[in-house]
Amino acid sequence: MSIISPGFGGRRRSSRPDLPPGQYLTHDFPVLSAGPTPRVPLDRWSFTVTDELGQKTSWNWEEFNALPQEEFTVDIHCVTKWSKLGTTWKGVALDTIFENLESSADYTMVHSYGGYTTNVPVEDLLDGKAWIVHTFDGEPLHPEHGGPARLLVPHLYFWKSAKWVNGLQMIPQDEPGFWEEAGYHMYGDPWREQRYQGD
Amino acid sequence: MSSEVDGNALGGDLAEIFAVDLTGAAVTCGGCKTVSAVAALLVWGPAPGLVARCPECEDVVLRLVRAPGQAWLDLRGAVSVRIPLPAPE
């Protein structure tokens, strides 16, 4: 009997280089929710950034849509092991949101209609790595998938891409959000398979 | 400040509690204080985890995340859980 099993300590490798370890490819768009789907009328929608001093900067739907828009194609990876490649979205880069914001905070708590929260480091939201999106595959984002607008941080597991997003709170130290409090990883890098605490 | 004993002292009681069917237990919502049977909670999931909400106010009462070899149970949304147990003989 071999003392060291062949797979010990190794990550499962996919035959596809664009699939992170342990993921399988899906062509569907599974819906995962932690509660009822909020229906947010566009005339009541707003997105608010709150800095560490409590100062707020808000955009209503009209103002948000007047910001520079980007259309882009990315791969998304859910912690429940499905990945969907080549998804096309349209929205506003967080770089644009942060343009006139003065903050020295290194972390954010993302807030959503319905009460969901998730934590994301500021540096993971900048340099073209994250967007607030309102359009998927050329159509307005369906409420089941987070419409009117959701965060999209495709290089992290999809629970970080909060549906029904309505704000960001700048925080000096990392704090766990909804799933991070209940065992999920604070960062959630799919390429390092950071699913649960301690991974 | 430290407590007199560590979490091992909970072991016996927890083993007894989790050996019973909890669906008939009565849980008090931390939000609106409504008392509901666990079986009557509104549940979303199972992935990324089970989220049980109060049928009255929809606040989260319980979160349960299962991972290989471990589970996280978060009951901070519950004031208390009343668990029926067999009466002593």
Side-chain angles (χ1 to χ4, degrees), chain A residues 22-70:
Chain A
Q23 296 293 109
Y24 68 87
L25 194 59
T26 183
H27 297 287
D28 301 331
F29 196 165
V31 173
L32 284 78
S33 290
T37 297
R39 309 277 166 173
V40 188
L42 297 182
D43 59 359
R44 298 235 188 115
W45 183 91
S46 68
F47 181 79
T48 302
V49 178
T50 307
D51 70 17
E52 57 270 48
L53 301 173
Q55 292 177 325
K56 295 177 188 297
T57 309
S58 291
W59 294 261
N60 64 25
W61 188 251
E62 198 178 330
E63 292 162 342
F64 175 74
N65 279 275
L67 295 172
Q69 306 287 318
E70 295 180 13

Side-chain angles (χ1 to χ4, degrees), chain A residues 131-188:
Chain A
W131 298 263
I132 306 290
V133 294
H134 51 71
T135 299
F136 169 70
D137 217 6
E139 301 286 336
L141 188 58
H142 193 277
E144 278 195 333
H145 290 301
R150 76 182 296 162
L151 178 66
L152 192 70
V153 196
H155 69 284
L156 300 179
Y157 279 127
F158 211 41
W159 91 77
K160 296 288 185 180
S161 294
K163 298 191 218 182
W164 315 300
V165 71
N166 68 3
L168 284 181
Q169 191 183 350
M170 313 302 296
I171 51 176
Q173 293 186 333
D174 205 8
E175 293 171 23
F178 185 89
W179 285 125
E180 295 85 3
E181 284 179 328
Y184 280 94
H185 199 277
M186 288 291 277
Y187 184 64

Side-chain angles (χ1 to χ4, degrees), chain B:
Chain B
M1 192 173 115
S2 63
S3 58
E4 278 185 31
V5 292
D6 66 15
N8 288 302
L10 295 170
D13 294 277
L14 286 176
E16 185 183 13
I17 289 165
F18 286 101
V20 303
D21 179 3
L22 279 181
T23 53
V27 61
T28 303
C29 172
C32 70
K33 316 298 186 233
T34 296
V35 179
S36 314
V38 169
L41 296 174
L42 307 174
V43 175
W44 279 261
L50 286 164
V51 179
R53 292 174 178 268
C54 171
E56 192 63 33
C57 73
E58 293 189 344
D59 272 7
V60 176
V61 173
L62 178 156
R63 278 177 283 189
L64 178 59
V65 169
R66 295 292 306 267
Q70 55 193 332
W72 282 267
L73 174 64
D74 183 332
L75 273 169
R76 84 186 66 179
V79 174
S80 65
V81 183
R82 183 172 60 80
I83 299 139
L85 295 172
E89 303 252 327

